[in-house]
Amino acid sequence: MARGRLRIYLGAAPGVGKTYAMLAEAHRRLSRGTDVVVGLVEHHERVLTAALVTGLESVPRRTVTHRGVDFTELDLDALLARRPEVALVDELAHTNVPGCRNAKRWQDVEELLAAGIDVVSTVNIQHLESLGDVVEGITGVRQRETVPDEVVRRADQIELVDMSPQALRRRLAHGNVYAPEKIDAALAHYFRPGNLTALRELALLWTADRVDEYLQRYRAEQGIEGTWQARERIVVGLTGGPEGATLIRRAARIADRGAGGEVLAVHIARADGLAGGSPQALIEQRALVESLGGSFHTVLGDEPAAGLLDFARGVNATQIVLGISRRRPWQYVYGPGVGATVTRGSGDIDVHMVTHEHAAAGRGRLPIRRVTDLGRPRTVAGWLIGVAGPPLLALLLTHVHAFGLPTDMLLFLSLTVCAALVGGLFPAVASALIGSSALNYWFTPPLHTFSISEPQNILAVAIFTAVGIAVASVVDLAARRTHQAARSQAEAQTLSALAGTVLRGAPSGEGLLTALLDQVRETFQQEAAALLERPDAHAPWQLTAVSGVGPPERPEQADVDVPVGERLALVLRGRVVPAEDRRLLGAFAAQAAVLLDRRRLAGEAAAARREAEGNRIRTALLAAVSHDLRTPLAGIKAAVTSLRSADVEWDEEDEAELLAGIESGADRLDHLINNLLDMSRLQTGTVTPLIQPTDLDEVVPYALGGVPLERVRVDVPETLPMIHADAGLLERALANLIENAVKYSPEGRQVLVKADALHPVGDEPRVELRIVDRGPGVPEEARERIFAPFQRYGDAPRGAGVGLGLAVARGFVEAMGGSVAAEDTPGGGLTMAVTLPAVDLPDHPSTPTTREAEPV
């Protein structure tokens, strides 16, 4: 069976017209004779949208009862049985009510598509799973209902329903989106112009990326290699040299000239890993290009020009930015250079050659060391073989007289190869020169002179010398390559260990800087290592992280100084690091800078979270003041005004009722203000409990003062051990928990307050108090959420309080070293388990470590 096709109308915010566009498309298809059925459409009482439903066949919704409340959901089975050509299913990210076959509506849509039914659906950009954090940062609202991005990406067609923020706010103000009582709040919060503009940009960019993906797929399927300049993509070629930052900024300015420009920096690395740019410079350039909104890529290839062109064509680049070569003029004898090669082969891709201060100044590399660092013993041995070996061999051969000149030459050549293997190039060259002289003097007629009578012998000695030097060069080159490969492997292992240290560390970077400096000190055999930082180029240096004893406090005091920009430096004390180790040390320094930035960003993020939490609490406090405090105040004022009125004479019963109302309102105000003050103390960290031995059976009766005693049954044995607690804080915490349990327990069912001693194996003794109710209970996924400040579970009315009771209770108990957890009550209901440390728990083997709530 062919899979159905999915069409999605994507919007930036509620009210832009997604459902309206979906219904209009349904009428167009219906007019063409297509079998279209409404599976589920949420018109939210919007008149124009509801009118479009008329004339379309609809499958009746399924009614699902959850916790005594009836909900309507998509009847998936009925829609599958009806089997239309096209089904309309609104709100793709919707979460189904428990009891439905699928948890999410997009899963219902997947079943319809698998059955061969085409589906038209809608979704807002804020419901995409990958954008949850971004949307929350913009709007301050966390989206609970999300749909995986892959589900939307797989859609056969995505149509963006766009509307300017001004037009959407006008539509909202005219009552075309929400009910009149919700308009002012919506305009002041979620539908602010800044929010709508940011959400619109998200929707446009996300849709543009999907269009670009389709274009790339089409080009690949059709084998199109030419550049289609549908979108400016600027590729920057980086060598790891000092000109990289100039090229990146130049490319960013080019991209900014047009809308939607994209910068891609690419470094072509040698496939053999034996040559490349500075790791420190590349790390800094990666950070720069990413800070400017671009991306960094590394491509392996032996030919930089070919690799750069292949990458540019692969990403459909429109422009390439390269720097003028740092080669000196005479070095062009080796070839035209990368810039000229790329320009010739670029085709329809524009190439920008950017000048910079390092142009034609040379690559700044150290001279190639022709002598491999083989160690002093091998070097001495090589020179002994190269210098003393040929005379000794010549002396031996003059006494043997058993070989001819060709054999003698091969023996001298073997000695040269041996010198190269042991001591490197220069001992081998010396061996070849001395060997050729010995051959000429002792074995080439006329003997015992440096003249040669036969021309062929002249040629033989010359060839011997050339071959000896050539063989020595090849052997030395092989030794150097082996040495470089071994060194590269050691560097790779060191960098791998460095990466592992960073990845295993805490996200905040705490302790990682010290661990990194310890690794630097051990790797490079230093006595001390430190990271110095200063706010600007003229400020004094300050120690940020230290490893070892007596670290340098200024770069001038260090044996090794590795600057990372103008404000950061890695300094070492102990010994001077060889030049060939500076690249690896630069990678450590760059990583230290990254860790320092991570630690700084983690601190800023924590401060931002605290500020956001404070703002949320202030907003909730204002809401509490605006309603929950005003309601009892209004009742008190009305009762007092009535009592003071001279126009009415109240009898004793009416007067008592009014006074009772005043007392009730005052009690409610007192309770509310106490909870607000307690929450404020908890948030500011000013709760300091006075912990002392406390009898639980003396605290519980005081906690029952705010509830009818006939609604509670207490089972707290007098033999219970004392607990470590603050009696006042514990009383407040238990009062909130018990009042909450009584509020949600049905009439005629008592709340049970029961205490037991626990004997955890291998842990300190504790006492557990369980508050058991027979109310509606709380789902497992919501049990932690009910302890958050300003949370009312379910449909509790505003008059039920500001939702601080459970948060205050948990805060007080945890401040005393205890815990509060919500559990299911067997048979229905919720149990609050309060656990506190016991003072002295006698040995009671029969006492269980856990227990279930007894029936109430």
Side-chain angles (χ1 to χ4, degrees):
M1 182 182 299
R3 180 179 171 85
R5 298 174 59 83
L6 175 61
R7 178 171 183 168
I8 294 177
Y9 287 93
L10 176 69
V16 295
K18 303 179 300 300
T19 305
Y20 189 92
M22 178 181 69
L23 292 171
E25 172 66 17
H27 280 282
R28 283 192 294 272
R29 297 195 184 194
L30 187 64
S31 66
R32 297 196 299 264
T34 304
D35 182 16
V36 181
V37 169
V38 175
L40 187 144
V41 168
E42 298 284 2
H43 53 72
H44 299 290
E45 306 300 329
R46 295 166 190 166
V47 177
L48 297 177
T49 305
L52 281 180
V53 180
T54 304
L56 297 173
E57 179 186 350
S58 298
V59 172
R61 299 190 185 190
R62 175 191 175 196
T63 300
V64 182
T65 302
H66 178 64
R67 298 188 181 277
V69 181
D70 291 338
F71 299 90
T72 59
E73 291 288 357
L74 171 69
D75 194 336
L76 180 59
D77 292 329
L79 192 56
L80 288 170
R82 170 61 177 79
R83 196 173 179 76
E85 293 181 54
V86 179
L88 307 184
V89 181
D90 207 359
E91 297 185 358
L92 188 64
H94 172 75
T95 300
N96 292 331
V97 175
C100 297
R101 181 159 72 234
N102 297 313
K104 292 284 190 175
R105 186 166 291 165
W106 64 263
Q107 295 171 321
D108 295 338
V109 169
E110 287 293 318
E111 287 198 32
L112 294 173
L113 295 173
I117 301 173
D118 293 347
V119 177
V120 183
S121 188
T122 65
V123 71
N124 279 326
I125 192 68
Q126 66 263 30
H127 294 298
L128 294 182
E129 204 165 67
S130 66
L131 299 178
D133 294 338
V134 179
V135 173
E136 184 179 8
I138 295 171
T139 65
V141 178
R142 182 68 179 180
Q143 297 296 328
R144 302 295 179 185
E145 295 186 329
T146 60
V147 58
D149 290 44
E150 185 59 29
V151 173
V152 183
R153 285 197 184 98
R154 286 201 306 264
D156 299 277
Q157 187 174 350
I158 300 174
E159 183 171 332
L160 178 65
V161 182
D162 188 35
M163 178 175 288
S164 69
Q166 295 77 12
L168 180 55
R169 284 173 58 85
R170 281 197 302 272
R171 176 181 286 186
L172 185 67
H174 293 159
N176 294 329
V177 179
Y178 289 149
E181 64 272 12
K182 298 180 179 179
I183 293 176
D184 291 340
L187 288 172
H189 294 91
Y190 194 88
F191 286 82
R192 293 195 301 267
N195 287 2
L196 296 178
T197 302
L199 292 173
R200 187 188 188 197
E201 182 181 17
L202 272 181
L204 290 169
L205 290 175
W206 194 90
T207 306
D209 287 340
R210 303 292 77 73
V211 172
D212 188 63
E213 287 177 3
Y214 172 77
L215 178 62
Q216 297 292 349
R217 187 168 60 250
Y218 176 81
R219 283 165 48 85
E221 291 172 353
Q222 301 299 321
I224 301 173
E225 296 184 358
T227 300
W228 287 5
Q229 299 187 4
R231 181 177 182 180
E232 287 291 345
R233 282 191 179 83
I234 298 95
V235 170
V236 187
L238 299 178
T239 63
E243 76 281 0
T246 302
L247 303 182
I248 292 170
R249 293 189 177 96
R250 176 68 170 175
R253 290 196 296 272
I254 295 173
D256 288 340
R257 292 174 184 169
E262 184 180 0
V263 176
L264 300 93
V266 59
H267 170 65
I268 309 298
R270 283 281 299 272
D272 56 13
L274 296 178
S278 165
Q280 180 179 346
L282 289 173
I283 290 174
E284 293 173 354
Q285 289 163 16
R286 174 192 286 270
L288 176 60
V289 72
E290 290 176 351
S291 70
L292 294 174
S295 57
F296 185 92
H297 308 267
T298 300
V299 178
L300 295 178
D302 291 326
E303 294 295 333
L308 184 62
L309 287 172
D310 289 343
F311 177 83
R313 294 191 182 100
V315 298
N316 196 28
T318 57
Q319 303 182 57
I320 297 176
V321 175
L322 293 174
I324 297 294
S325 176
R326 286 179 283 133
R327 284 182 172 187
R328 296 190 186 277
W330 62 267
Q331 292 178 312
Y332 282 96
V333 299
Y334 298 115
V338 174
T341 305
V342 169
T343 303
R344 285 200 305 267
S346 61
D348 52 0
I349 304 176
D350 298 334
V351 179
H352 301 264
M353 299 300 297
V354 179
T355 187
H356 51 87
E357 59 180 334
H358 305 283
R363 297 185 181 274
R365 293 177 178 173
L366 294 173
I368 298 176
R369 298 181 62 189
R370 300 302 301 175
V371 180
T372 304
D373 187 9
L374 300 174
R376 186 178 182 85
R378 288 187 60 177
T379 303
V380 171
W383 279 105
L384 286 175
I385 296 172
V387 174
L392 293 175
L393 180 61
L395 183 62
L396 176 64
L397 292 176
T398 56
H399 288 82
V400 173
H401 300 293
F403 309 110
L405 180 60
T407 303
D408 294 339
M409 294 179 68
L410 288 175
L411 290 173
F412 276 97
L413 183 61
S414 300
L415 190 64
T416 300
V417 172
C418 183
L421 288 173
V422 175
L425 176 64
F426 290 150
V429 171
S431 176
L433 294 175
I434 296 173
S436 63
S437 300
L439 283 169
N440 183 10
Y441 187 82
W442 274 294
F443 304 102
T444 306
L447 303 178
H448 306 297
T449 67
F450 286 102
S451 60
I452 303 175
S453 59
E454 299 181 9
Q456 63 269 26
N457 290 340
I458 296 175
L459 181 61
V461 171
I463 292 175
F464 166 79
T465 304
V467 170
I469 294 175
V471 169
S473 299
V474 171
V475 172
D476 179 70
L477 179 62
R480 286 191 296 109
R481 290 302 189 197
T482 302
H483 176 73
Q484 290 175 355
R487 184 170 189 82
S488 297
Q489 182 179 8
E491 288 183 359
Q493 291 174 348
T494 302
L495 291 174
S496 175
L498 170 63
T501 300
V502 173
L503 291 174
R504 288 191 298 270
S508 64
E510 289 298 330
L512 286 182
L513 276 175
T514 303
L516 179 66
L517 293 180
D518 289 341
Q519 191 172 357
V520 170
R521 190 165 53 85
E522 295 170 2
T523 301
F524 297 97
Q525 300 176 358
Q526 301 290 327
E527 296 178 8
L531 194 64
L532 304 180
E533 187 180 18
R534 58 182 177 180
D536 55 66
H538 305 290
W541 292 98
Q542 296 178 348
L543 284 170
T544 300
V546 175
S547 174
V549 180
E553 297 182 0
R554 295 193 304 274
E556 300 81 22
Q557 299 175 347
D559 295 313
V560 181
D561 169 27
V562 183
V564 186
E566 294 182 349
R567 299 187 300 174
L568 201 65
L570 176 64
V571 292
L572 308 177
R573 184 181 64 81
R575 70 180 184 91
V576 177
V577 174
E580 57 190 2
D581 288 338
R582 299 282 298 191
R583 285 182 53 181
L584 183 59
L585 190 56
F588 274 92
Q591 192 61 57
V594 171
L595 289 178
L596 190 62
D597 287 341
R598 181 198 293 186
R599 188 172 70 176
R600 186 180 295 112
L601 290 173
E604 293 175 359
R609 284 194 298 269
R610 289 193 297 269
E611 183 177 354
E613 181 66 15
N615 289 336
R616 189 178 70 83
I617 291 174
R618 280 192 291 272
T619 302
L621 285 172
L622 289 174
V625 170
S626 65
H627 186 283
D628 293 277
L629 292 180
R630 187 170 58 190
T631 301
L633 282 174
I636 292 173
K637 179 174 174 53
V640 171
T641 302
S642 299
L643 288 173
R644 295 188 61 190
S645 174
D647 298 332
V648 180
E649 290 188 7
W650 303 97
D651 57 27
E652 291 184 3
E653 184 178 350
D654 291 335
E655 185 175 338
E657 184 177 349
L658 290 173
L659 290 174
I662 295 173
E663 183 179 16
S664 174
D667 289 342
R668 183 175 165 190
L669 277 176
D670 179 67
H671 179 75
L672 185 59
I673 291 173
N674 283 334
N675 273 341
L676 289 172
L677 292 175
D678 290 341
M679 198 66 235
S680 176
R681 291 167 60 201
L682 287 170
Q683 292 291 335
T684 56
T686 57
V687 175
T688 306
L690 179 60
I691 303 296
Q692 58 186 0
T694 304
D695 279 324
L696 190 59
D697 61 338
E698 294 181 358
V699 175
V700 171
Y702 290 102
L704 302 177
V707 298
L709 295 180
E710 66 274 7
R711 296 292 309 278
V712 181
R713 180 162 66 90
V714 178
D715 184 9
V716 180
E718 295 182 357
T719 58
L720 205 65
M722 300 180 73
I723 58 174
H724 290 290
D726 181 316
L729 294 183
L730 181 59
E731 178 192 335
R732 296 293 306 278
L734 296 181
N736 283 344
L737 295 173
I738 294 171
E739 288 175 12
N740 188 77
V742 170
K743 178 169 60 178
Y744 285 100
S745 285
E747 291 291 337
R749 302 299 298 270
Q750 287 184 316
V751 170
L752 174 63
V753 179
K754 182 177 179 59
D756 289 294
L758 301 182
H759 293 266
V761 178
D763 200 356
E764 64 177 359
R766 305 182 77 80
V767 170
E768 183 184 63
L769 182 74
R770 302 174 71 82
I771 301 167
V772 184
D773 68 56
R774 289 296 181 179
V778 176
E780 184 175 357
E781 63 273 11
R783 288 178 194 163
E784 281 302 311
R785 197 163 62 246
I786 63 175
F787 289 102
F790 307 103
Q791 295 289 322
R792 296 185 185 87
Y793 179 66
D795 299 323
R798 296 282 300 185
V802 291
L804 287 175
L806 296 182
V808 169
R810 172 174 275 189
F812 281 172
V813 173
E814 290 181 348
M816 294 182 287
S819 63
V820 180
E823 304 172 1
D824 272 333
T825 300
L830 186 69
T831 296
M832 290 291 181
V834 180
T835 307
L836 290 162
V839 174
D840 182 19
L841 190 64
D843 189 15
H844 295 293
S846 60
T847 305
T849 58
T850 60
R851 67 175 63 242
E852 294 184 348
E854 297 182 3
V856 180

